[in-house]
Amino acid sequence: RQDAAAEEEEDNHTSLEDQWQDEEYFGSYGTLRLHLEMLSDKSRTEAYRKVIVSNSASLRSKVVMDLGCGTGIISLFCAQLAQPSEVYAVEASSMAEYTRQLVKQNGCEQVVTVLQGRAEEIELPKQVDVLVSEWMGNCLLFEFMVESVLLARDRWLKEGGVMWPSSAALTLVPCQANSYYAEKMTFWEQPYGLDFTPLQPLAQQEFFTKPKFNHVIEPDDCLTAPSDVLCLDMYTLQVKDLEEIKGQFHFCVEKPGVFHGFTSWFTVHFESLETGGATVELNTGPNSQPTHWKQTLFMLDRPVSVHAGDSISGTILLRRNPFWRRHMTITLHWSINSCKKETDNCQANHRLGQRVSPCGG
Amino acid sequence: RQDAAAEEEEDNHTSLEDQWQDEEYFGSYGTLRLHLEMLSDKSRTEAYRKVIVSNSASLRSKVVMDLGCGTGIISLFCAQLAQPSEVYAVEASSMAEYTRQLVKQNGCEQVVTVLQGRAEEIELPKQVDVLVSEWMGNCLLFEFMVESVLLARDRWLKEGGVMWPSSAALTLVPCQANSYYAEKMTFWEQPYGLDFTPLQPLAQQEFFTKPKFNHVIEPDDCLTAPSDVLCLDMYTLQVKDLEEIKGQFHFCVEKPGVFHGFTSWFTVHFESLETGGATVELNTGPNSQPTHWKQTLFMLDRPVSVHAGDSISGTILLRRNPFWRRHMTITLHWSINSCKKETDNCQANHRLGQRVSPCGG
Ligand SMILES: [Ca+2]
Ligand SMILES: [Ca+2]
């Protein structure tokens, strides 16, 4: 009987880990490909460097935790560009042993300590003044590394300590996506003079019902001004808040065009520790320098013509998958209020896949 | 005892299928993504159309098999642009049921019969005059669909029947790969002013020991004239010949440069059925229109400076994986004979992955 109970416990344990798909998740960060992609992203990496440089005076003698440090670039910035007393560089994947070598190679081993382990389990010698992390994924939350950051905050951040980023916002805009629509849908109308329209329902299912993560939107494809649909305060956000997050939007169409879908991106802000210092911002939208996150496109079932003066209003719901804990489903509801004619009511469910796809975020 | 024997047989059967990874392989062709990629490849698709058009007189009343027909585009070209008596469109994946709809939608159901099944198992009503197939993969042979074509040839092609393509060649050229080398290797020398060289051995292992399939080589990156290293005659080629294929090369360096690796691509030829008709060629090299196959790059362990007048000689060996039947290992041996100084002897083993990666070929 005891054996059976032990086995059951082990089963539960295995199944819990599986829900986080940690082997796959941390496995992918054990190879260089993703780290190279992130390091090669200058907008991202320079933003973190700028945060360190512009706060270097205030960082003197502070204790810093760099959570999910990867190759340790942020920790090395801290050690070389400021004078913290200690930096704890925490990394769960097997990259950690290389990170240790890089810290040594760059002469930072007096300041930077690499700790291999999951944020939930790691033990630090002391509490920290600053918790810095690059936890953002596609659509801001995908992969839900943010949960590890919140748990680390609650365990290790001193009262009055600082979170970098300090806040995060998800932005949405109704847009055209002419070439994507042509490539994936119009294509079947007459390829090589043939009629392949019987494949269009399959194309819609395969290309339009899941978010397209690697989309690059031109500013000109935005049909309205973009709008922040949700804002997260990294000091007050709770793990349970992540289960279901709702936002609203109300857009005014500025020019006539074809409404193919919604595009989203995120911005994070890093508050200044210096008196009167300016906030550093990392904006992954179409008016900023490109990043490896690019933008995310949610296609409508079918395109709608819109006119200047029309309005597009609705809600966005991010529901974390109750089983696959790194996944979520994003549901958009909207209605178009035409200044010209009828009102269309539409709904589209955009699901994030049933598997962790290491999609660069 | 009988049960045990039956089970064992089933086990053997399962394991055999697994060696072909058919579920994964045909599964990937059951979605639209790969078919759209192939159809959107105009060089590829127009080459097959040109073959049909330029042989339309000779195709009259002929029986054609289109093996691995996908969406049926080649069969539809046959039915609409020539007057064959029958076209058997054979497709193993679940795409076959859509192919049937497309045949109907385009009014070709009198001529084109879609048969769902594997080439090895399918039964045709009669033998065929022409066996046409687009079986080529990365490095020509990857995925080894060619085996199915050879088996179909031996079972169903009439004495004196025609194979399209009729022959195939693999081409090799020593080349520069400056930006790929810089991105994956030089990058670690000083990212953001830091020394990340301890990651270079990892980078070499991760980025240089496997072939890079999606490479695009500029004509200017070729250090010598390209050379065909192996040629396959689709009439006489036998399945057993595929186990191990050897080729030789001897290149003369034409201009000074950095020898980063070898790039390969393939060309297939379609013989004419018309008296005095010209051969149609589909060339996937850097001097032709781009195709979805792009080119394949094999990086050296480290770059070598070469000078006009140097020669690069050696052998290429394609060894089919004895277990994973859709995979192979490509081994290149070479020596550089410098007109200036010493002789380097090098060897690199380039393995094709341990899994079927649906890499577009
Ligand atoms: Ca990330
Ligand atoms: Ca192919």
Side-chain angles (χ1 to χ4, degrees):
Chain A
R1 258 174 215 283
Q2 261 196 329
D3 278 6
E7 246 179 71
E8 201 168 62
E9 207 176 292
E10 191 153 306
D11 275 6
N12 284 341
H13 185 65
T14 309
S15 134
L16 189 71
E17 294 222 317
D18 200 37
Q19 288 183 247
W20 281 88
Q21 297 168 290
D22 278 352
E23 203 173 316
E24 207 176 327
Y25 180 69
F26 292 122
S28 69
Y29 286 98
T31 64
L32 266 191
R33 193 179 57 82
L34 292 179
H35 297 290
L36 177 55
E37 187 183 26
M38 293 187 291
L39 290 168
S40 301
D41 179 344
K42 281 198 186 163
S43 311
R44 164 198 178 272
T45 310
E46 293 285 9
Y48 280 85
R49 174 150 77 168
K50 194 172 166 194
V51 171
I52 307 306
V53 169
S54 62
N55 287 283
S56 62
S58 307
L59 281 169
R60 174 186 285 266
S61 306
K62 292 286 186 349
V63 181
V64 177
M65 165 159 47
D66 173 8
L67 185 64
C69 68
T71 54
I73 187 95
I74 300 173
S75 297
L76 292 170
F77 287 158
C78 287
Q80 294 207 333
L81 306 171
Q83 289 168 291
S85 66
E86 323 239 11
V87 179
Y88 302 120
V90 178
E91 172 61 31
S93 84
S94 62
M95 186 53 55
E97 67 188 80
Y98 288 92
T99 311
R100 241 171 240 131
Q101 289 179 41
L102 295 178
V103 168
K104 237 184 182 160
Q105 185 85 3
N106 290 277
C108 298
E109 70 271 35
Q110 301 301 323
V111 175
V112 180
T113 308
V114 177
L115 300 165
Q116 183 171 1
R118 294 157 45 106
E120 297 77 359
E121 293 159 4
I122 210 83
E123 293 296 328
L124 302 190
K126 56 179 89 139
Q127 293 225 302
V128 304
D129 300 291
V130 176
L131 170 48
V132 60
S133 179
E134 194 278 84
W135 52 264
M136 299 82 74
N138 285 310
C139 283
L140 185 59
L141 292 175
F142 189 52
E143 295 186 343
F144 283 91
M145 180 179 162
V146 68
E147 172 164 335
S148 303
V149 175
L150 300 182
L151 295 172
R153 175 196 69 189
D154 294 345
R155 282 185 72 200
W156 298 110
L157 189 66
K158 283 183 195 165
E159 187 77 30
V162 167
M163 296 289 289
W164 278 339
S166 317
S167 66
L170 190 71
T171 305
L172 201 67
V173 72
C175 66
Q176 302 199 136
N178 287 317
S179 44
Y180 186 65
Y181 189 82
E183 257 170 49
K184 304 297 186 194
M185 190 54 69
T186 317
F187 177 84
W188 307 106
E189 286 176 9
Q190 214 182 39
Y192 307 93
L194 296 164
D195 176 356
F196 272 29
T197 52
L199 296 177
Q200 286 187 325
L202 205 59
Q204 174 167 313
Q205 180 58 34
E206 195 169 323
F207 301 119
F208 293 173
T209 62
K210 279 172 243 133
K212 179 178 183 276
F213 286 128
N214 60 345
H215 191 61
V216 175
I217 187 178
E218 298 298 321
D220 213 42
D221 287 329
C222 300
L223 294 167
T224 76
S227 168
D228 289 353
V229 288
L230 56 100
C231 296
L232 306 179
D233 178 331
M234 292 302 292
Y235 292 96
T236 58
L237 183 66
Q238 299 296 315
V239 170
K240 65 174 166 32
D241 299 339
L242 299 172
E243 294 300 322
E244 204 170 283
I245 307 180
K246 282 179 198 166
Q248 292 195 330
F249 51 81
H250 182 83
F251 297 105
C252 296
V253 176
E254 290 169 353
K255 57 181 181 188
V258 180
F259 176 26
H260 281 115
F262 292 94
T263 292
S264 83
W265 61 85
F266 65 83
T267 305
V268 293
H269 300 93
F270 303 82
E271 64 174 335
S272 179
L273 303 183
E274 318 273 332
T275 326
T279 298
V280 174
E281 176 182 293
L282 169 57
N283 184 323
T284 65
N287 293 304
S288 303
Q289 287 300 308
T291 72
H292 76 290
W293 287 285
K294 301 178 183 168
Q295 288 92 38
T296 303
L297 172 64
F298 301 88
M299 290 292 280
L300 308 191
D301 281 342
R302 55 193 102 39
V304 182
S305 287
V306 290
H307 313 89
D310 290 357
S311 70
I312 301 170
S313 314
T315 57
I316 181 171
L317 174 65
L318 284 73
R319 275 202 78 224
R320 192 168 179 186
N321 189 306
F323 187 81
W324 301 106
R325 299 305 281 160
R326 297 199 182 278
H327 296 185
M328 61 181 167
T329 299
I330 297 184
T331 306
L332 292 157
H333 289 264
W334 70 92
S335 62
I336 304 173
N337 235 305
S338 174
C339 53
K340 296 216 167 128
K341 27 176 189 168
E342 78 289 5
T343 299
D344 293 329
N345 275 289
C346 316
Q347 172 178 351
N349 271 285
H350 288 282
R351 291 173 195 288
L352 294 189
Q354 291 302 299
R355 293 278 167 273
V356 171
S357 42
C359 40
Chain B
R1 261 178 212 279
Q2 260 197 329
D3 278 7
E7 246 179 71
E8 198 168 65
E9 207 175 292
E10 193 153 304
D11 276 5
N12 285 339
H13 185 64
T14 310
S15 134
L16 188 69
E17 293 220 319
D18 200 39
Q19 289 183 249
W20 281 88
Q21 296 168 289
D22 277 351
E23 204 173 316
E24 206 177 327
Y25 180 69
F26 292 122
S28 69
Y29 287 97
T31 64
L32 265 191
R33 193 178 59 82
L34 292 178
H35 296 291
L36 178 55
E37 186 183 26
M38 293 187 291
L39 289 169
S40 300
D41 179 344
K42 280 199 186 164
S43 310
R44 164 199 178 270
T45 311
E46 293 285 9
Y48 279 85
R49 175 150 78 168
K50 193 170 168 196
V51 172
I52 308 304
V53 169
S54 62
N55 286 283
S56 61
S58 307
L59 281 169
R60 172 186 285 264
S61 306
K62 291 288 188 346
V63 182
V64 177
M65 165 159 46
D66 172 8
L67 186 63
C69 69
T71 53
I73 188 94
I74 300 173
S75 297
L76 292 170
F77 287 159
C78 286
Q80 294 208 333
L81 307 170
Q83 289 168 291
S85 65
E86 325 239 12
V87 179
Y88 302 121
V90 179
E91 172 62 30
S93 84
S94 61
M95 185 52 54
E97 67 189 81
Y98 288 91
T99 311
R100 245 174 237 127
Q101 289 179 40
L102 295 177
V103 167
K104 241 189 178 153
Q105 186 83 3
N106 289 278
C108 297
E109 70 271 35
Q110 301 301 323
V111 175
V112 180
T113 308
V114 178
L115 301 164
Q116 182 172 3
R118 294 157 44 105
E120 298 75 359
E121 292 158 4
I122 208 83
E123 293 295 328
L124 302 191
K126 55 177 91 137
Q127 293 225 303
V128 304
D129 299 292
V130 176
L131 170 47
V132 60
S133 180
E134 194 279 85
W135 51 264
M136 299 81 74
N138 284 310
C139 284
L140 184 60
L141 292 175
F142 190 51
E143 295 185 345
F144 284 91
M145 180 178 163
V146 67
E147 173 163 336
S148 303
V149 175
L150 300 182
L151 294 173
R153 176 197 68 190
D154 294 345
R155 282 184 74 200
W156 298 110
L157 188 67
K158 283 182 194 167
E159 186 78 30
V162 167
M163 296 291 288
W164 279 338
S166 317
S167 65
L170 190 71
T171 305
L172 201 68
V173 73
C175 66
Q176 302 198 138
N178 287 316
S179 43
Y180 185 65
Y181 189 82
E183 256 170 50
K184 304 296 185 194
M185 190 54 70
T186 317
F187 177 85
W188 307 107
E189 286 176 9
Q190 215 182 37
Y192 306 93
L194 297 164
D195 177 355
F196 272 28
T197 52
L199 296 177
Q200 286 187 325
L202 205 59
Q204 173 167 315
Q205 180 58 31
E206 196 169 322
F207 302 118
F208 293 173
T209 61
K210 279 172 243 133
K212 179 178 184 275
F213 285 129
N214 60 345
H215 191 61
V216 176
I217 188 179
E218 297 298 322
D220 214 42
D221 288 329
C222 300
L223 295 167
T224 75
S227 168
D228 288 353
V229 289
L230 58 99
C231 296
L232 306 179
D233 178 332
M234 292 301 292
Y235 293 96
T236 59
L237 183 66
Q238 299 296 315
V239 170
K240 66 173 167 32
D241 300 338
L242 299 172
E243 295 299 322
E244 204 171 285
I245 308 181
K246 283 179 198 167
Q248 293 194 331
F249 50 82
H250 182 82
F251 296 106
C252 297
V253 176
E254 289 170 354
K255 56 181 180 189
V258 179
F259 176 26
H260 281 115
F262 292 93
T263 293
S264 83
W265 62 84
F266 65 83
T267 304
V268 292
H269 300 93
F270 303 82
E271 63 174 333
S272 178
L273 303 182
E274 318 274 329
T275 326
T279 297
V280 175
E281 177 183 293
L282 168 57
N283 184 325
T284 64
N287 292 303
S288 303
Q289 288 299 308
T291 72
H292 76 289
W293 287 285
K294 300 178 183 167
Q295 288 92 38
T296 303
L297 172 63
F298 301 87
M299 290 292 280
L300 308 192
D301 282 341
R302 57 193 99 41
V304 182
S305 287
V306 290
H307 313 89
D310 290 357
S311 69
I312 301 170
S313 315
T315 56
I316 181 171
L317 173 65
L318 284 74
R319 276 202 77 225
R320 193 169 180 185
N321 189 305
F323 188 80
W324 301 106
R325 299 305 279 158
R326 297 199 182 279
H327 297 186
M328 61 180 167
T329 299
I330 297 184
T331 306
L332 291 158
H333 288 263
W334 70 92
S335 62
I336 304 173
N337 235 304
S338 174
C339 53
K340 295 216 168 127
K341 26 179 188 165
E342 80 286 8
T343 300
D344 293 329
N345 275 289
C346 316
Q347 172 177 350
N349 272 285
H350 289 282
R351 290 172 194 290
L352 293 186
Q354 292 301 298
R355 294 280 166 271
V356 171
S357 42
C359 40

